[in-house]
Amino acid sequence: MTIRHQGQQYRPRMAFLQKIEALVKDMQNPDTGVKMQNQKVLVTSVPHAMTGSDVLQWIAQRLWISNLEAQNLGNFIVKYGYIYPLQDPRNLVLKPDNSLYRFQTPYFWPTQQWPAEDTDYAIYLAKRNIKKKGILEEYEKENYNFLNKKINYKWDFVIMQAKEQYKTGKERNKADRYALDCQEKAYWLVHRCPPGMNNVLDYGLDRVTNPNEVQVNQLSFPVYTLAALEYSEEQKAVILTPAGPLLPRRPPCARPSRRGARGRCHVGSVGNISPRLTERPLFSWVDLPGGQRVERT
């Protein structure tokens, strides 16, 4: 279900993600949300961190659901990238213990529909390559070499951007730098997941129409049924009442009448109450027994 720019705004799951985002906003409420405070990770104090047990407890109390349902919903929130782990960034699961998590910035939320382009991913890998001095994971090395061949015509731009971002990151304090690194890594784990992980953003074939749109342009024609046949005692005739709106003009009849060129539609007699209702949608007169002809009112 990868959120890309090829018609992803026409995906029904966008409504589901908007409900998740409304819940995440409630979780960040300073008064009624999840308790956040400075937490120490290794030797770094990370601000606005929370534990997995606090998140699960808040979800269960807020939605009045069981702990198992809260655990499943918490895993969804982490897998879609709304909350990212600080201690084990690759494991996108909400642990019911003292593991530390942080909220992802709304700029990287899936509903923003920012396309995860190859150039941005190449800059991220090049920056990690500079920071780790060439020590990348196997799938990252494969993607790095593949992108080097694919966009080789602008690889100098990729390296220049990676060096500038790495230089800017070193000017930040240690806590912010650690939090931003985990945030960026969590974003690319969701949008460019490593082999073996379930890609929750994979949506299949592209769509060019909105499945949520209910507007259907159809022509309305009068429909005659047996329930629309009424017998008038005063006129001694069968009156046809259309069940739908009348057309602005009556189409010419397929069988012209003997009364002139205006063309009347033959319906049948009262004794035979099953007229040919499928030939033409409008009728002007009916025949009575004895050869009498009565105009419609």
Side-chain angles (χ1 to χ4, degrees):
M1 174 180 112
T2 304
I3 307 297
R4 299 172 183 169
H5 61 286
Q6 303 106 332
Q8 177 59 33
Q9 63 272 16
Y10 297 144
R11 297 292 158 184
R13 76 172 54 88
M14 280 297 147
F16 162 73
L17 293 179
Q18 290 173 359
K19 294 179 181 179
I20 293 293
E21 290 179 4
L23 182 64
V24 172
K25 291 177 182 178
D26 291 342
M27 296 171 66
Q28 300 182 56
N29 191 307
D31 299 327
T32 60
V34 182
K35 180 177 63 175
M36 294 180 290
Q37 57 186 355
N38 295 343
Q39 299 285 352
K40 182 167 288 188
V41 180
L42 298 178
V43 293
T44 306
S45 179
V46 180
H48 306 293
M50 55 191 174
T51 61
S53 58
D54 291 341
V55 174
L56 291 177
Q57 183 180 2
W58 186 92
I59 293 176
Q61 294 178 356
R62 174 69 172 79
L63 302 179
W64 290 52
I65 57 178
S66 63
N67 293 332
L68 180 59
E69 292 174 327
Q71 178 70 52
N72 293 333
L73 181 57
N75 291 336
F76 270 113
I77 295 176
V78 175
K79 289 179 180 179
Y80 280 95
Y82 293 100
I83 296 177
Y84 61 91
L86 293 173
Q87 296 167 317
D88 190 6
R90 188 171 179 178
N91 190 11
L92 298 180
V93 176
L94 186 62
K95 299 179 181 179
D97 52 18
N98 293 327
S99 300
L100 299 180
Y101 296 85
R102 284 195 74 195
F103 288 106
Q104 181 68 281
T105 175
Y107 179 82
F108 291 126
W109 284 0
T111 50
Q112 296 296 331
Q113 300 176 5
W114 300 118
E117 296 181 351
D118 293 337
T119 304
D120 297 332
Y121 189 48
I123 294 174
Y124 165 74
L125 293 178
K127 184 172 61 175
R128 280 184 56 85
N129 190 37
I130 296 173
K131 182 179 179 179
K132 298 292 184 180
K133 297 181 180 180
I135 303 177
L136 298 176
E137 298 185 22
E138 289 299 327
Y139 80 95
E140 291 179 336
K141 291 180 181 179
E142 294 178 1
N143 293 333
Y144 183 86
N145 296 330
F146 173 75
L147 292 175
N148 188 7
K149 297 178 181 179
K150 182 179 180 180
I151 55 175
N152 186 264
Y153 61 93
K154 56 179 178 180
W155 196 252
D156 294 338
F157 170 78
V158 170
I159 298 298
M160 181 185 66
Q161 288 292 324
K163 290 181 179 179
E164 289 294 330
Q165 292 185 14
Y166 177 72
K167 182 180 179 180
T168 305
K170 290 185 66 175
E171 297 176 358
R172 299 189 180 96
N173 59 59
K174 193 173 183 180
D176 293 341
R177 185 167 65 249
Y178 182 82
L180 290 175
D181 289 344
C182 294
Q183 173 181 298
E184 194 174 14
K185 185 176 180 62
Y187 171 80
W188 288 113
L189 281 176
V190 173
H191 290 268
R192 296 294 179 95
C193 61
M197 290 185 61
N198 183 22
N199 188 4
V200 295
L201 298 181
D202 186 15
Y203 64 85
L205 298 176
D206 298 329
R207 292 182 183 176
V208 295
T209 58
N210 189 353
N212 298 322
E213 187 177 357
V214 197
Q215 298 179 0
V216 179
N217 297 325
Q218 292 183 351
L219 297 177
S220 58
F221 295 96
V223 180
Y224 295 100
T225 60
L226 292 178
L229 293 175
E230 300 178 0
Y231 185 76
S232 175
E233 292 291 343
E234 298 178 356
Q235 300 181 3
K236 302 294 183 180
V238 177
I239 302 176
L240 298 180
T241 304
L246 291 176
L247 294 177
R249 291 186 60 186
R250 182 178 61 84
C253 183
R255 292 167 52 183
S257 170
R258 288 177 262 175
R259 297 184 59 182
R262 287 188 295 173
R264 305 293 185 177
C265 293
H266 181 78
V267 175
S269 62
V270 178
N272 182 14
I273 223 159
S274 298
R276 296 185 217 170
L277 301 179
T278 59
E279 289 187 358
R280 292 294 174 182
L282 295 178
F283 300 89
S284 301
W285 51 268
V286 293
D287 287 338
L288 297 179
Q292 298 181 358
R293 181 173 295 171
V294 180
E295 297 284 339
R296 277 193 55 196
T297 58

